[in-house]
Amino acid sequence: MNLRLEHARALTRREFLTRSGKLGLGAMALDGLLSNGFAASQTVNPLAPKAPPLPAKIKSVIYLSMSGAPPQHDLFDWKPELVKHHMQDCPADFLKGQTFAFIKGTPKLLGTQAKFAQYGKNGAWVSEHLPHFQKIVDDVVIVRSMNTTQFNHAPAELFLHTGNMFAGSASIGAWATYGLGSENQDLPGFVVLLSGGTDPTGGKATWGSGFLPSVYQGVQCRAAGEPILYANNPDGMSRETRRQSLDALKTLNEAEEKQFGDPETVTRIAQYELAYRMQMAVPGVMDISKETPETIEMYGAKPGEASFANNCLLARRLVEQGVRYVHLFDWGWDMHGTGKDNDLLGGLPRKCANVDQASAALVQDLKQRGLLDSTLVVWGGEFGRTPMNEARGGSTFLGRDHHPHAFTLWMAGGGLKKGEVFGETDELGYFVTQDKVTVRDLQATIMHLFGFDPYKFSYRYQGLNNRLIGPTNEGQIVKGILA
């Protein structure tokens, strides 16, 4: 055995830096550790609940992501002029200098084939595809003036949920648990639930922790089968044996943390302990069969199955138990019109039927339980759809291409106005004409509702004070939707 070689392999990067001189690389490493909020021998629970620095309107968020981008013209943004000019050439002014994912040449305008009517005290226009949403318009604010810089799915989802179009930044849920911890130490602070048959296009990076310690990343749970994979004891190991093993590992990890001060060691300790506690807590909270038959029917849920409806009911149960951030991704909203599964006449009504009842039930259920005042619910996609027909490859199905300039989402809960429609688009629903809300604005507003100053809330990494809203102050709190 080459002892010098084995010794070199045993040295961690952090130990190398600490041995590199008090005024040189070692000092840089120490500054990095301290700026990250971790110092040597610190072994506090990183998920311990914390009070927000400013008065907060909400304690938790349930974000309903319609992965693929719903077509706003067919759901929320009624445009009679667009219907009037259905299948006419799109005006050149709307095409000049624009980039599309798939549209070529001069496309035809596409008026919605759905029927619209006005609902609620302020007469919000809502499509026939959302009959349950029509009943809760007085509890929500519809934002019709959303805008993003991205027009492809993965970058747009990453930008929306992490503030960066590239993988590697911290998601909103990770920021929330980093800043506030978790009110329930037996459950993850940040839970992710999937439906639609696959992950969102942005992948698991959309709920990652990025440069934050990994203890803050989202924990993916399942509505059917084992709720969290690999959390249960393997065959032949009892809970008592598991406890003894974890105690031994904790002693070793604490010794390592004391020597090197690596924040990921603290994360490892916390995650092992949380996994042990989750073995008892998670099965109970994830069992929706414990709900009343009336509640299950209200959501359209079916215990034991994997569905968006089940996930919505689970989301309510999770925030009720103190989970900080619950993110639901429902894949399959990419209505290009290239076939019968993604056309506006067949595919869209089917997708709406899968989510409309449960989305509305979630708001109603939170409200009747007194939880809506402390919970923010957000529903929407990563960008919008064009007011033109895509007709890719000569397809005769109706569909819309990706569109970053204008889209719609709705929000409900603590700190928000109710029964409002915010923002406007032009007569074709192409550009925002009033009260534009950017992705940065949405992120700043969510942080504000949590009780953070979005311009000061940061995490030092690689010499920079990284923020969810990015390095500039372009993101503004959307005061027009605040109560």
Side-chain angles (χ1 to χ4, degrees):
M1 177 182 293
N2 187 327
L3 295 179
R4 289 185 178 181
L5 178 60
E6 294 302 314
H7 177 69
R9 286 176 174 172
L11 285 178
T12 64
R13 181 175 60 179
R14 182 164 281 103
E15 183 165 352
F16 165 76
L17 290 171
T18 58
R19 293 184 180 186
S20 297
K22 183 177 181 181
L23 299 178
L25 293 174
M28 291 170 58
L30 178 60
D31 175 71
L33 285 171
L34 293 176
S35 65
N36 282 345
F38 290 90
S41 74
Q42 181 182 11
T43 56
V44 297
N45 178 13
L47 288 175
K50 312 178 189 71
L54 300 173
K57 299 295 184 180
I58 59 173
K59 295 181 179 180
S60 56
V61 166
I62 300 175
Y63 203 116
L64 310 177
S65 287
M66 305 299 108
S67 184
Q72 72 275 16
H73 302 87
D74 305 286
L75 299 179
F76 305 104
D77 203 3
W78 166 239
K79 294 299 175 185
E81 283 296 307
L82 187 59
V83 174
K84 179 180 178 181
H85 297 287
H86 178 65
M87 286 302 161
Q88 296 180 13
D89 287 348
C90 181
D93 290 346
F94 288 92
L95 302 175
K96 186 177 180 180
Q98 297 300 311
T99 301
F100 301 98
F102 298 102
I103 283 179
K104 306 294 182 183
T106 301
K108 303 291 185 181
L109 294 175
L110 177 56
T112 182
Q113 305 300 292
K115 296 178 181 178
F116 273 71
Q118 291 179 285
Y119 298 90
K121 62 182 181 182
N122 287 332
W125 289 97
V126 181
S127 163
E128 64 179 332
H129 295 322
L130 302 173
H132 294 277
F133 177 76
Q134 295 166 4
K135 302 173 185 178
I136 64 165
V137 290
D138 283 338
D139 291 313
V140 310
V141 55
I142 302 172
V143 181
R144 295 195 300 203
S145 52
M146 287 299 302
N147 173 273
T148 183
T149 61
Q150 305 300 310
F151 67 92
N152 282 321
H153 295 293
E157 286 188 328
L158 289 169
F159 183 47
L160 178 63
H161 299 302
T162 74
N164 195 326
M165 67 286 297
F166 303 108
S169 292
S171 59
I172 303 179
W175 278 107
T177 51
Y178 163 65
L180 297 174
S182 177
E183 292 187 336
N184 189 326
Q185 297 300 293
D186 296 333
L187 295 172
F190 177 15
V191 172
V192 177
L193 300 166
L194 305 181
S195 58
T198 187
D199 290 356
T201 313
K204 292 178 172 54
T206 51
W207 62 82
S209 58
F211 41 73
L212 295 175
S214 56
V215 71
Y216 301 115
Q217 69 185 357
V219 175
Q220 184 179 342
C221 295
R222 304 188 305 164
E226 187 177 341
I228 301 178
L229 295 177
Y230 312 119
N232 290 336
N233 294 326
D235 293 340
M237 175 177 281
S238 66
R239 186 163 176 81
E240 291 73 19
T241 303
R242 176 81 164 224
R243 180 67 267 170
Q244 293 173 354
S245 300
L246 290 178
D247 289 342
L249 282 171
K250 184 178 181 181
T251 300
L252 294 173
N253 284 324
E254 286 178 339
E256 180 180 332
E257 195 279 332
K258 185 176 181 180
Q259 182 177 4
F260 301 117
D262 187 348
E264 282 302 303
T265 307
V266 178
T267 288
R268 192 183 311 138
I269 295 171
Q271 287 177 327
Y272 285 160
E273 293 299 321
L274 176 59
Y276 180 77
R277 296 192 301 271
M278 286 194 303
Q279 288 181 338
M280 301 299 290
V282 167
V285 75
M286 298 293 285
D287 184 4
I288 64 172
S289 67
K290 296 181 178 180
E291 297 287 332
T292 65
E294 293 78 15
T295 299
I296 293 173
E297 182 180 358
M298 180 172 68
Y299 280 87
K302 296 180 179 179
E305 296 185 7
S307 68
F308 179 81
N310 283 17
N311 288 348
C312 282
L313 181 47
L314 284 172
R316 190 225 80 206
R317 290 174 62 85
L318 288 165
V319 298
E320 196 172 32
Q321 294 298 317
V323 173
R324 185 71 62 191
Y325 202 98
V326 185
H327 204 149
L328 277 62
F329 288 93
D330 185 67
W331 186 85
W333 289 88
D334 201 16
M335 298 295 161
H336 284 284
T338 56
K340 63 181 181 180
D341 291 334
N342 67 352
D343 76 309
L344 298 178
L345 298 181
L348 178 61
R350 284 192 293 271
K351 283 303 296 182
C352 289
N354 287 338
V355 306
D356 179 43
Q357 178 178 348
S359 300
L362 175 62
V363 173
Q364 294 169 323
D365 200 11
L366 289 169
K367 182 179 179 181
Q368 71 185 15
R369 294 171 184 270
L371 293 170
L372 190 58
D373 289 339
S374 61
T375 305
L376 174 67
V377 181
V378 186
W379 188 104
E382 63 269 27
F383 46 62
R385 315 299 300 199
T386 59
M388 303 91 77
N389 187 32
E390 182 176 314
R392 191 194 315 178
S395 173
T396 58
F397 293 99
L398 299 181
R400 304 183 188 276
D401 203 353
H402 306 170
H403 190 68
H405 303 301
F407 63 105
T408 299
L409 59 75
W410 60 260
M411 309 167 70
L416 297 182
K417 292 179 178 179
K418 299 178 180 179
E420 297 285 337
V421 177
F422 186 80
E424 293 290 342
T425 57
D426 59 44
E427 62 184 12
L428 299 182
Y430 199 105
F431 293 113
V432 173
T433 57
Q434 180 180 326
D435 296 322
K436 180 187 288 187
V437 179
T438 69
V439 165
R440 299 285 194 209
D441 297 337
L442 176 64
Q443 293 163 347
T445 304
I446 293 175
M447 288 295 101
H448 168 76
L449 292 172
F450 263 130
F452 295 107
D453 182 335
Y455 311 106
K456 295 180 179 179
F457 187 38
S458 64
Y459 184 86
R460 190 149 182 92
Y461 176 70
Q462 292 186 343
L464 299 175
N465 291 326
N466 291 271
R467 305 181 305 184
L468 172 64
I469 62 169
T472 71
N473 289 345
E474 62 185 278
Q476 298 295 308
I477 298 168
V478 187
K479 296 181 180 179
I481 66 174
L482 302 181

